[in-house]
Amino acid sequence: MEVGREFIAGWCAGCTGVIVTQPLDTVKVRMQVLSSGSKPAATTSLSCFYNIIKHETIFGLFKGMAPPLAAVALQNAILFGVYGNVLKMFSSKNGDKPALSHVCFAAAASGAAQLWVVGPMELIKIKLQLQTEGKHSKSSHYRGAMDCIRKIYKTAGSRGLFQGATPLIFRDIPGFVVYFASYEILLDALSQRKSTTDTQPLVTMLAGGLAGMIGWFSTFPFDGIKTRMQADGNKGLFTYKGTVDCFLQTYRAGGVKSLFAGVGPCLLRAFPHNAVVFVVYNLVSKWLGNCISPVDNGYNLKVD
């Protein structure tokens, strides 16, 4: 029952986070890809946001939302399960807060475990987000998530679904370590806690939101490289030969600035996303715990 409770709470938290912050994620992806050309487009978050609504209606901001909603249950189950179980291996019986080294190890393990779900999910999401048909257009390369999966598999096989896997590894594993370490440090700074269960909800929200921003910023260049590689290859035409080539082409096109294209909407998204995930997870987990049995709620974590 404990595993089922974490699965349900994680699914609810992840879905809520995706719905609330999908528009900012779409803006981030568009800006990252626009900056990767030989002549990077001069655009801001607001102008990108406005142009999407102008040409694609408000629904254009929610393109690609189906894949993360469909996969978020499995992703969160892996994250919560691996992170919580690894921490329990190191935890003491009196419920004291975990050591920072244990948090880092558990975070790295959970980040690695969920890569096989996140990779294909973000690939499909990005392919759909980058379809820029006008509001009256009926033509599109992909008619939906399943059509996108089918066409990628037909042209590149199962390997094609893991396009951009290398930068994803460098983004998620160290990113989760930075996130959880920041979260624990912020909790200590913002509260006088003695165990993992005596923090206030507002403190948890603030610590989670700020830690999410720190975690994303720490590995953001790898996210940009991953996005460009996953956006590459439409109609079988590839611009990048690999991760290093993508990095060099991006840097030559716009310098360091191009590696941080879209960081604004990403950080704006990170705070509410993580705050919402923490709140919803804690509420649902607590409610299910009261309905089933008074068990410990476990640990919180970031979901992307």
Side-chain angles (χ1 to χ4, degrees), residues 129-252:
Q129 283 176 320
L130 293 176
Q131 294 194 140
T132 57
E133 295 81 8
K135 62 181 75 176
H136 301 299
S137 176
K138 296 182 179 179
S139 62
S140 61
H141 186 62
Y142 302 116
R143 295 191 298 272
M146 294 306 299
D147 182 57
C148 184
I149 294 173
R150 184 167 55 252
K151 288 181 176 177
I152 292 174
Y153 184 82
K154 183 178 180 180
T155 57
S158 57
R159 184 178 179 180
L161 295 174
F162 292 91
Q163 184 176 324
T166 300
L168 177 64
I169 292 172
F170 284 101
R171 184 200 73 176
D172 274 11
I173 297 180
F176 270 86
V177 172
V178 172
Y179 171 80
F180 283 114
S182 301
Y183 176 66
E184 292 294 330
I185 292 171
L186 287 167
L187 278 183
D188 286 335
L190 296 171
S191 64
Q192 299 296 322
R193 65 184 185 128
K194 296 181 179 179
S195 70
T196 59
T197 59
D198 59 1
T199 54
Q200 297 297 319
L202 289 178
V203 173
T204 301
M205 286 178 59
L206 182 59
L210 291 174
M213 296 176 71
I214 295 171
W216 269 104
F217 186 79
S218 67
T219 58
F220 190 79
F222 289 108
D223 180 68
I225 300 302
K226 178 202 70 71
T227 297
R228 294 180 184 97
M229 290 185 67
Q230 290 184 325
D232 197 22
N234 285 333
K235 299 181 180 179
L237 301 175
F238 287 87
T239 302
Y240 308 115
K241 299 177 181 179
T243 303
V244 175
D245 182 57
C246 182
F247 177 87
L248 292 176
Q249 287 196 44
T250 302
Y251 182 78
R252 289 167 182 165

Side-chain angles (χ1 to χ4, degrees), residues 1-13 80 279-298:
M1 296 302 290
E2 178 70 15
V3 175
R5 188 185 69 170
E6 290 189 353
F7 185 90
I8 295 171
W11 183 88
C12 292
F80 279 87
V279 171
V280 175
Y281 172 75
N282 285 331
L283 288 175
V284 175
S285 182
K286 184 177 180 180
W287 179 75
L288 291 174
N290 291 334
C291 292
I292 301 172
S293 62
V295 295
D296 178 61
N297 282 339

Side-chain angles (χ1 to χ4, degrees), residues 75-146:
Q75 178 195 6
N76 286 340
I78 295 172
L79 286 168
F80 279 87
V82 173
Y83 183 68
N85 286 326
V86 172
L87 276 185
K88 287 177 182 177
M89 292 170 55
F90 299 109
S91 64
S92 59
K93 296 181 179 179
N94 56 11
D96 290 340
K97 61 184 180 181
L100 194 59
S101 59
H102 298 163
V103 169
C104 292
F105 184 84
S110 63
Q114 50 89 60
L115 289 172
W116 68 277
V117 176
V118 176
M121 177 192 76
E122 293 196 359
L123 174 67
I124 305 306
K125 175 179 70 69
I126 287 171
K127 294 290 189 185
L128 296 178
Q129 283 176 320
L130 293 176
Q131 294 194 140
T132 57
E133 295 81 8
K135 62 181 75 176
H136 301 299
S137 176
K138 296 182 179 179
S139 62
S140 61
H141 186 62
Y142 302 116
R143 295 191 298 272
M146 294 306 299

